[in-house]
Every structure is written in C-alpha cells, then in structure tokens.
Amino acid sequence: MKDSTLYIIGNGFDLFHGLKSSYKDYSEFAKINTPNVEEFLKVYFPPKNKDDWWSHFEENFENFDARQFYDNHDNVSERFMEQEHPQWSDYFGVLDEINEESEKMRLGIKQSFRDWINEISETEIERKNMHFEKNALFLSFNYTPTLEKFYNIPKVFHIHGYIGDDNEENLVFGHGVEVSEGETSELDENGENNRTPSYDAEAASHTLFYKFQKPVKNIIDENQSFFDSLKYIEKVVVLGHSLNEIDMPYICKIRDSISDSSSWIIVCYTDDDRQRAKTVMGNIGVAADSRKLLSWEEYEKGLF
C-alpha cells in the first residue's frame, strides 16, 4: 500500500516532548562548555534584533561581520603606505591568519553544536499521545533521533542530518542568503580590475558567511527521489515546524510534489504560529478548506 500521509517534524516537536532543544538552550550550553564559541558568535554575528540573539540563531549567520573580522586580523594596512617599497606580499600573512582563524572557528562552532545535540539526544522525553498513521513518510528537520528512539519509527528522513547516522560532522545549519554584504567582486561593473594588495585577505574574511550558508537548493536536488515519492500523499501533518523563511523552499517543493487535493494539518504553539501558518498556507496555494490549524492539546486528543 502506498504511503498516503507525510509528517513534517520540526523543533517544536522536541520542545513539546520536554527536550531542551531551543537555541536559547544552546546558548546556555555554549556559555558553559565552549565559552570561546559563545563569545565569537556574539561578537561576529550581530543580530538585527539585539534583544533576541538566540531566537534567530540560524538567521544571524547571515550577519557575519566580515569587516570587523578582517580589521581584527589586519596588522599591515596601517603601516603599508608608509613603507618606501610596499609589497603586496605583506598581506600574505594576513591572508594566512584569516584562513586559519576561519577554519578554526568553523570547526569549533560545528563541534560545539554537535556536542549540544548529542547531550540533548540522550535526554529522556515526556511521553505524549502522538497519532502516527501506518502508511506514512517522515521528514524531520531535527537533529535528534526522537522519533526513532521513543516512537520506534524505523525510517525517518532527516534532511539536515542527525545524531546517530555516523555522519554527524555534516549536520546542516545556517542562513539562506546568497551573497555576503560588503563583499567586493574582482571586477567592477565596467570590467575593470578591483584587485588591491589586500583584496585576497579581505575576500577571505567572508569565508564564514559562506561556510554557514544552508545549501537548500542543492539539498533538494540531491534528494529529488524523496520528493518524487510524495506523489501519492493525501495528507500532510506539520508537527512543530515554524514554516520559517529559510526552510520555505522545502515546503514549496513539497506542495509542488503532492496532489492539489491533499489536506494539511498544522499544529501550532502560539497565536503567532497560527497566523504565520495561515499566511504561509495562503502563499503556497493551500485553500482554507484544505487546511486545519490545531493546538498540541487538540492534536493529542485526535480532534482532526
């Protein structure tokens, strides 16, 4: 029998089960266990909303302050023009230092994040009355094996990787912006060369912006077979996914891969979640009579 239901699992699912899986929880973990990472994130990834840094953890990666990062490693420019015979090679040391520090912090951030996921994955959950149909597919945006460990779901597609698949170093997290702000192209609009003695070092200072770029289009292309398997889906159940902007290409791809007559159930925490779900459903063309918005309590009681 063909799978007729798709469950989309987001972090709200783990939170509902009592796991400390919010990015605010990660901030507490990083502060205690990897304070150098916590400090680096706050210094070089300034939030647009300074009062709510951790709530927008992934989005903040798009704000990487490459200029500050460069300035803090540039020990050449101030004295460069004062030299009688300045050499472009003077900047090679700056370039090397920026590359080394970028790689060091890339590895440090990813290791800190993996260690946190490992810790919360070992936590016992609060059992809930979940309703999972037998003929179903599971698409999880979580890094934890909650479905496998506690609900004995044998096959879950973790689209961004997860702890437990022996490929933990490849957990995918980050922003969805394509081009780093302030980056200078090698040629200007007239085709003239923009290269300066510091060009390579300044270009390298944007590396962390790109290292924490979530390659959504590539992930979709690489997993086309999964999306092709959705053609028989009659019902989509969204459990704990915020339908955020970064992951919207996945949601749109799902919408395009299933029948127009398929129904959607979205389980929401707050009134803001409910309003966003309405907006997103409208934007991707899901009619009001084809969608139902529920609270977690309603979903547990089977009121759908």
Side-chain angles (χ1 to χ4, degrees):
M1 189 173 182
K2 299 294 184 183
D3 296 313
S4 59
T5 301
L6 170 66
Y7 291 96
I8 300 175
I9 309 296
N11 190 42
F13 181 83
D14 279 355
L15 290 170
F16 185 60
H17 284 80
L19 293 184
K20 293 185 176 182
S21 58
S22 73
Y23 288 130
K24 178 65 175 175
D25 293 317
Y26 172 56
S27 76
E28 296 301 319
F29 174 89
K31 190 180 299 182
I32 295 170
N33 296 281
T34 52
N36 62 316
V37 168
E38 195 254 358
E39 179 65 19
F40 186 88
L41 289 171
K42 286 191 171 181
V43 169
Y44 289 108
F45 296 92
K48 292 175 181 175
N49 181 349
K50 295 186 182 298
D51 296 327
D52 203 16
W53 199 97
W54 294 100
S55 295
H56 300 280
F57 173 71
E58 288 194 272
E59 292 94 327
N60 285 338
F61 280 108
E62 73 185 57
N63 302 326
F64 179 61
D65 192 341
R67 170 47 58 186
Q68 183 180 357
F69 189 65
Y70 174 80
D71 288 344
N72 287 348
H73 294 85
D74 175 18
N75 58 3
V76 172
S77 295
E78 189 172 334
R79 55 184 171 80
F80 185 76
M81 296 311 297
E82 298 174 358
Q83 299 180 56
E84 186 175 352
H85 301 291
Q87 301 293 317
W88 281 36
S89 59
D90 291 348
Y91 280 94
F92 290 172
V94 180
L95 174 61
D96 289 343
E97 185 176 334
I98 286 174
N99 282 335
E100 289 172 10
E101 185 67 10
S102 295
E103 182 63 4
K104 172 187 172 185
M105 293 315 302
R106 181 190 74 83
L107 293 172
I109 292 168
K110 284 186 171 287
Q111 185 63 56
S112 172
F113 192 80
R114 286 197 301 272
D115 290 345
W116 172 59
I117 298 295
N118 263 310
E119 181 175 284
I120 61 177
S121 294
E122 296 301 319
T123 306
E124 287 295 318
I125 70 165
E126 298 172 10
R127 282 281 181 176
K128 302 292 182 180
N129 185 26
M130 293 288 100
H131 301 272
F132 295 131
E133 298 185 15
K134 290 184 178 180
N135 299 307
L137 295 173
F138 292 81
L139 169 62
S140 179
F141 287 81
N142 295 347
Y143 310 105
T144 55
T146 306
L147 286 168
E148 294 92 334
K149 285 178 64 175
F150 299 105
Y151 290 100
N152 299 315
I153 305 298
K155 189 175 180 181
V156 179
F157 177 33
H158 291 265
I159 198 162
H160 293 150
Y162 81 111
I163 296 296
D165 65 351
D166 297 323
N167 201 22
E168 298 169 1
E169 68 273 11
N170 292 326
L171 297 183
V172 178
F173 59 95
H175 65 87
V177 176
E178 292 187 5
V179 180
S180 178
E181 185 176 342
E183 191 171 19
T184 303
S185 61
E186 191 164 351
L187 299 177
D188 66 19
E189 58 185 14
N190 298 316
E192 297 295 325
N193 198 323
N194 275 329
R195 292 186 65 83
T196 64
S198 62
Y199 180 85
D200 288 338
E202 291 191 62
S205 70
H206 293 266
T207 296
L208 285 172
F209 171 92
Y210 292 105
K211 291 296 184 181
F212 289 100
Q213 191 177 54
K214 189 182 282 186
V216 174
K217 184 179 184 305
N218 290 344
I219 293 172
I220 290 174
D221 291 344
E222 291 167 3
N223 294 284
Q224 184 60 47
S225 60
F226 172 80
F227 295 100
D228 288 342
S229 73
L230 303 181
K231 60 185 176 181
Y232 298 108
I233 293 298
E234 299 172 1
K235 179 170 63 178
V236 178
V237 182
V238 181
L239 297 174
H241 194 288
S242 64
L243 304 176
N244 60 70
E245 198 63 38
I246 295 176
D247 291 335
M248 277 312 298
Y250 298 117
I251 304 302
C252 292
K253 182 66 175 179
I254 291 167
R255 175 68 181 87
D256 293 340
S257 301
I258 64 178
S259 168
D260 289 340
S261 62
S262 298
S263 62
W264 290 67
I265 295 173
I266 302 98
V267 180
C268 307
Y269 259 125
T270 66
D271 289 340
D272 286 345
D273 292 340
R274 187 178 292 264
Q275 185 55 52
R276 176 162 179 77
K278 284 182 182 179
T279 300
V280 169
M281 290 295 103
N283 289 344
I284 65 174
V286 177
D289 59 357
S290 295
R291 64 187 190 238
K292 183 175 289 188
L293 309 183
L294 302 176
S295 67
W296 282 99
E297 290 71 25
E298 289 171 328
Y299 184 75
E300 280 197 284
K301 293 175 180 177
L303 302 178
F304 52 89

